[in-house]
Amino acid sequence: MKHPPPLGILAELTHRCPLQCPYCSNPLALTKPVAELSTQDWMHVFDQAAALGVLQLHLSGGEPMARTDIFDLVAHAAKMGLYTNLITSAVTLDADKTRRLRDAGLDHVQISIQGVEAARADRVAGMQSAAVKKRAAMRHVTEAGLALTINAVVHRQNLDEVDALIDLALAEGAERIEIAHVQYYGWGLSNRAALLPTRAQTMETTAKVEAARQKHEGRLVIDYVVPDAYAERPKACMGGWGRQVIVVAPDGRAMPCHAADTILQLDFSNVRTRNLADIWSNDAAFNAYRGTDWMPDPCRSCVRREIDWGGCRCQALALTGDASATDPACALSPHRAALNGVEAESTALPPPFRYRKFGG
């Protein structure tokens, strides 16, 4: 069956990263460097992505700067006409590397931050001096003339800094800031009791974001993602399963989202042995939850079925044990009770972080 091409490809170049963030979106079982796609493998993927009609290439990880071939990969992607976005922790992004990336054809940089107050941010990142290095990298990016987005992951231990995060984005010349609550699967699920804010904290943060949007309209774009635990309706995860994004993991597996490999009954094809266009259109894993035919009620008969596309399959699996179940983030879900006890975690004393690292 022919499907419209994906808007973007998320190329997870490596799971290597100098940070140990306890909400990392990478899987609990990290891919070892020996299993990563080669330079030529990735270039072949970019060729196929351009031929498929992909417009945007997001170079991610782990930390994509851990790849010594990053400049060659950016240059090849730019040659293929792909809009290139580097998603980075930025702790190794100095002025020279930034200029080399720009000269290779990079269009945009997205820098993740763990907070404004340095000591607290470094504790979350699991790395000393990370916050200082990130601030320096922001200036390198804007001085090089590249577009800058700041990705601020928020949770119960840094929500009081939301106004300061927005001020930081303005001060550093960012065009956009993403204020994104932790999404609770993978490492985030392992650390939910330490990260989930209270409902009151979430409502207060939402009000601050809305006020800032009005205040800074025309100067700064502010994206905001709420925690599903307090949502009434689910979000369209990745724009809908198999609709807008194709993720390629470091080992070459192609997936509809970066957490899809938690759904063990699905078998994901590898770009080493199968063409990207064929995977996108015909792969059984991509078609498993595509569209609306797979949906149970109440999703199947819901007027929002082509708005949220059934919500998150990985979250449904994590909370109900069934990836095809109605996402508990929806107030209409028969599995809503799976979230009923979650809020109690947000009022208890937070336990120590389980830091992201090889070997768990």
Side-chain angles (χ1 to χ4, degrees):
M1 180 179 178
K2 184 72 172 177
H3 298 282
L7 174 64
I9 178 171
L10 178 64
E12 296 184 328
L13 301 181
T14 180
H15 282 161
R16 288 171 283 161
C17 184
L19 304 189
Q20 302 181 66
C21 303
Y23 48 71
C24 180
S25 62
N26 287 155
L28 296 179
L30 300 170
T31 299
K32 301 296 184 183
V34 68
E36 294 173 4
L37 295 181
S38 70
T39 304
Q40 291 303 314
D41 287 335
W42 278 117
M43 288 182 175
H44 191 43
V45 170
F46 300 164
D47 293 345
Q48 293 181 36
L52 178 57
V54 170
L55 300 177
Q56 301 172 355
L57 172 65
H58 304 281
L59 300 165
S60 182
E63 173 49 63
M65 293 302 296
R67 295 276 305 213
T68 58
D69 57 358
I70 186 64
F71 306 103
D72 295 329
L73 293 178
V74 168
H76 188 79
K79 179 181 176 181
M80 297 308 299
L82 296 169
Y83 181 91
T84 52
N85 172 34
L86 182 73
I87 302 174
T88 176
S89 68
V91 294
T92 63
L93 192 62
D94 59 25
D96 178 64
K97 290 176 181 176
T98 305
R99 287 191 294 266
R100 289 178 64 190
L101 287 166
R102 176 200 61 194
D103 295 345
L106 187 70
D107 296 294
H108 183 277
V109 179
Q110 177 177 313
I111 295 178
S112 64
I113 61 173
Q114 287 68 41
V116 175
E117 198 278 310
R120 181 162 50 167
D122 290 352
R123 183 179 71 85
V124 175
M127 178 183 179
Q128 290 187 349
S129 302
V132 172
K133 293 175 181 177
K134 288 170 181 285
R135 290 293 293 269
M138 293 175 197
R139 297 181 189 121
H140 299 325
V141 169
T142 55
E143 288 170 1
L146 292 168
L148 172 65
T149 289
I150 292 174
N151 174 245
V153 181
V154 294
H155 45 84
R156 67 184 293 189
Q157 300 195 38
N158 71 354
L159 272 181
D160 59 314
E161 291 190 326
V162 166
D163 288 333
L165 288 166
I166 294 169
D167 289 342
L168 181 149
L170 289 164
E172 296 299 346
E175 298 177 2
R176 179 185 298 268
I177 182 170
E178 298 177 356
I179 298 176
H181 284 266
V182 171
Q183 299 303 295
Y184 294 101
Y185 47 76
W187 296 93
L189 183 59
S190 293
N191 287 285
R192 189 175 64 189
L195 297 169
L196 183 69
T198 64
R199 188 179 296 273
Q201 282 180 304
T202 304
M203 293 176 64
E204 181 182 359
T205 301
T206 301
K208 287 180 179 179
V209 169
E210 290 304 320
R213 280 175 168 166
Q214 295 181 31
K215 180 179 179 180
H216 303 300
E217 185 176 5
R219 295 179 60 201
L220 181 69
V221 176
I222 304 175
D223 293 331
Y224 182 57
V225 180
V226 300
D228 286 339
Y230 303 132
E232 290 299 309
R233 295 291 183 269
K235 61 183 180 296
C237 188
M238 304 296 283
W241 184 280
R243 289 185 54 81
Q244 295 186 7
V245 178
I246 185 167
V247 178
V248 180
D251 60 3
R253 288 170 300 146
M255 300 181 289
C257 80
H258 45 253
D261 63 350
T262 61
I263 306 177
L264 299 181
Q265 66 264 37
L266 297 181
D267 184 21
F268 298 101
S269 296
N270 198 295
V271 296
R272 286 186 170 109
T273 57
R274 191 172 179 184
N275 181 273
L276 198 66
D278 183 35
I279 294 173
W280 176 254
S281 293
N282 302 312
D283 189 68
F286 275 80
N287 287 323
Y289 304 112
R290 201 175 229 151
T292 60
D293 288 347
W294 64 271
M295 292 180 178
D297 275 324
C299 295
R300 183 186 290 269
S301 56
C302 182
V303 296
R304 293 179 54 87
R305 63 186 177 276
E306 293 188 2
I307 297 173
D308 57 41
W309 300 102
C312 180
R313 297 301 88 220
C314 303
Q315 179 163 260
L317 175 68
L319 295 178
T320 75
D322 180 3
S324 65
T326 301
D327 189 341
C330 181
L332 301 176
S333 172
H335 307 287
R336 184 70 169 182
L339 286 173
N340 286 348
V342 170
E343 189 170 355
E345 294 182 359
S346 68
T347 59
L349 186 68
F353 290 140
R354 177 189 176 190
Y355 285 104
R356 171 210 189 270
K357 54 188 175 183
F358 281 100

